[in-house]
Amino acid sequence: MPDRKIKNNIPFVQIIQHNFSYLRKEGYLTLAEEGFLVDISEFVGFSSNCIVDDVKKKDPTLLN
């Protein structure tokens, strides 16, 4: 497997745009709830839907 080139060190946050857009269009979320989701997005583990203690750890601890 070839070495990956790192283009930058900016963390990636995965938000499913279509799902988020649908919830907003339907008026399902309040403005406060939308803000909360955006605020916690930095704590969601990559390739998961779990909130974790440290997204940079190899095996982060799931939080509840």
Side-chain angles (χ1 to χ4, degrees), residues 4-62:
R4 253 181 57 194
K5 290 183 181 179
I6 297 175
K7 293 182 180 180
N8 61 44
N9 292 324
I10 304 301
F12 173 78
V13 175
Q14 180 174 331
I15 296 176
I16 309 297
Q17 294 173 340
H18 182 72
N19 293 348
F20 199 71
S21 175
Y22 176 80
L23 293 173
R24 291 182 63 221
K25 254 194 285 187
E26 294 297 315
Y28 187 80
L29 301 172
T30 66
L31 188 57
E33 290 168 332
E34 287 180 24
F36 174 74
L37 289 176
V38 170
D39 285 348
I40 65 167
S41 65
E42 69 179 293
F43 301 106
V44 176
F46 184 69
S47 298
S48 78
N49 61 351
C50 299
I51 298 173
V52 296
D53 64 336
D54 184 354
V55 294
K56 295 178 184 176
K57 286 169 58 178
K58 183 175 180 180
D59 294 315
T61 303
L62 305 179

